[in-house]
Amino acid sequence: MNDLPRNFDVAHKVANFPSIKPSVPERVVGERRKFRTIWISDVHLGTKGCNHELLIDFLDHTDSETMYLVGDIIDGWRLKKKFYWPAEHNDIVWRILRRARRGTRIIYIPGNHDEMVRPFSGMNFGGVEIMRAAFHTTADGRRLMVLHGDEFDTIMLAHRWLAFIGDAAYHLMMKLNNWVAAARNRLGLPYWSISKAAKHKVKNAVEFISKYEEVVARAAAERGVDGVVCGHIHTAEFRDFDGVEYWNDGDWVEGCNALVEHFDGSMEILNWPEEVARRETRRTGAKTKVREAA
C-alpha cells in the first residue's frame, strides 16, 4: 500500500501524456481498417524485445469501437532491473490515449508483468478503464470472458522464482531475435521470429501451451460463458473445446498478432507482418501497372 501514492502519481502523468507530440507522427493512410473490437496483449513496453515499429504501423492502420489491452503492456519486471524506454514506446502510449480521446473505449486488464497497475482496478486514467477482468458481448450475442491468463499458469502460481528465471532466459532469446530481425531487414527479407519458431519445435513448450489452453477453456465453461480471450503465453490461437471458444490474441514481441471482432460478430486473428507483406505486394503491383500503362 505504501507504493500506491507513487504509482498514483505515475498514472496521472500517463493520463496527461497526449499533450506531448509523438516522435513518429501518426500516419494519414486514408481509410483505416475498422473493427468492432480489437484485443492486443503482451506488448512489453520497456524492453528491447517490443516490436514497436510493427505495433505503431498496426495502430496507424486500424480503428475500433472498443480496444482491450489484455495485460503485459508495460514490462515492470524488466524496468525494475534496468530502465529502458525509447521514444517509440512513448509513441505507442500516445496513440492508445489518443484513441480514447477520439471515442474508442479502452479497457486495460493488467497482467503479471504490469501487475503494479492492478491496485488501480476500477479507476479511469485518460479515458483508459482499468479492470481485473472483463466480460465482452459480441455483435451476435456471444459472451466472452477477457483476462490476461497468468491466473492459470501453474509456474506463476506455484513457483514464482522459476518464472523470473524463465523471464531472464526469454529476454536473452529476444536479443538474438532482434539481431536476426535486423539482419533480415538489411537483406530485404520479411520479419521472422526465431524464438517463435524454436518454441513450436520444443515438445515441452507445445505440451504446456496445449494444457494451458484446456485449463483456461475449462474455467470459462465453469463460469457459464461462451468463450474466453486471453494472452500471456505469446501464442495466438483459436480452439474449440466442446463448444467453448478459446481465443489467444498473441503478442507484439514474437508473432505480432492482434485479435479482432468484425461488425457481424465474427472474429479473426491478424498476423501483422503478413498484413504488411500483403500491403507491400499490392503497392508494388500497383506501381508496376502504372509503369506498364505509361
Side-chain angles (χ1 to χ4, degrees):
M1 291 299 292
N2 292 334
D3 290 335
L4 197 58
R6 179 168 56 84
N7 290 340
F8 192 83
D9 182 59
V10 170
H12 267 293
K13 290 179 180 178
V14 171
N16 292 325
F17 195 75
S19 61
I20 302 173
K21 292 183 178 179
S23 63
V24 179
E26 192 172 31
R27 281 161 287 192
V28 179
V29 296
E31 188 70 19
R32 293 182 178 217
R33 295 183 63 182
K34 291 183 173 60
F35 302 100
R36 185 171 185 265
T37 314
I38 292 174
W39 291 265
I40 63 171
S41 74
D42 298 273
V43 175
H44 290 276
L45 294 173
T47 71
K48 293 182 179 179
C50 170
N51 203 317
H52 56 255
E53 290 182 1
L54 280 170
L55 181 52
I56 287 173
D57 185 85
F58 171 80
L59 294 172
D60 284 351
H61 285 83
T62 62
D63 235 327
S64 63
E65 294 178 352
T66 304
M67 171 177 272
Y68 287 92
L69 308 174
V70 195
D72 287 2
I73 304 302
I74 300 169
D75 196 322
W77 290 11
R78 302 305 299 177
L79 288 172
K80 285 180 182 178
K81 295 179 181 178
K82 183 178 180 181
F83 187 80
Y84 173 80
W85 195 271
E88 292 84 358
H89 291 200
N90 276 347
D91 294 345
I92 290 169
V93 175
W94 182 90
R95 281 165 167 78
I96 290 172
L97 292 175
R98 186 167 174 79
R99 282 176 179 245
R101 289 194 168 189
R102 287 173 177 164
T104 299
R105 186 185 182 195
I106 307 289
I107 300 169
Y108 183 4
I109 300 170
N112 51 303
H113 282 261
D114 48 11
E115 60 191 354
M116 68 282 188
V117 182
R118 284 177 171 170
F120 301 110
S121 295
M123 297 185 183
N124 184 310
F125 295 104
V128 177
E129 304 172 43
I130 302 173
M131 299 183 181
R132 192 65 179 82
F135 290 91
H136 175 81
T137 302
T138 62
D140 56 0
R142 301 186 332 276
R143 194 160 181 258
L144 305 176
M145 180 172 66
V146 185
L147 70 174
H148 180 62
D150 60 295
E151 300 92 336
F152 304 100
D153 186 336
T154 54
I155 293 176
M156 279 297 303
L157 292 174
H159 303 289
R160 188 173 172 84
W161 62 271
L162 187 58
F164 279 101
I165 293 174
D167 177 66
Y170 178 76
H171 280 276
L172 286 175
M173 174 67 82
M174 290 317 305
K175 287 182 180 180
L176 176 60
N177 201 70
N178 290 339
W179 294 334
V180 171
R184 289 177 64 86
N185 185 54
R186 283 195 296 270
L187 294 171
L189 297 173
Y191 174 80
W192 177 75
S193 172
I194 187 173
S195 56
K196 181 180 178 182
K199 184 163 63 177
H200 282 281
K201 292 291 185 181
V202 178
K203 182 180 178 182
N204 287 343
V206 173
E207 289 178 351
F208 168 79
I209 290 169
S210 179
K211 186 64 176 177
Y212 173 86
E213 292 169 346
E214 291 177 15
V215 169
V216 175
R218 191 182 308 125
E222 290 171 355
R223 286 159 177 79
V225 295
D226 299 299
V228 61
V229 177
C230 64
H232 186 55
I233 58 172
H234 294 209
T235 303
E237 184 69 88
F238 166 72
R239 292 183 65 185
D240 186 290
F241 292 90
D242 297 324
V244 177
E245 298 179 5
Y246 167 90
W247 294 95
N248 193 299
D249 60 16
D251 69 286
W252 288 89
V253 175
E254 301 174 72
C256 299
N257 301 104
L259 175 63
V260 298
E261 178 196 359
H262 297 279
F263 286 94
D264 62 356
S266 61
M267 294 170 64
E268 178 184 7
I269 295 172
L270 300 180
N271 179 272
W272 205 247
E274 292 178 0
E275 297 289 331
V276 171
R278 280 194 287 268
R279 187 202 310 154
E280 292 302 317
T281 299
R282 290 194 299 268
R283 187 176 300 165
T284 301
K287 288 181 179 179
T288 301
K289 289 180 179 179
V290 170
R291 284 197 298 267
E292 290 175 351

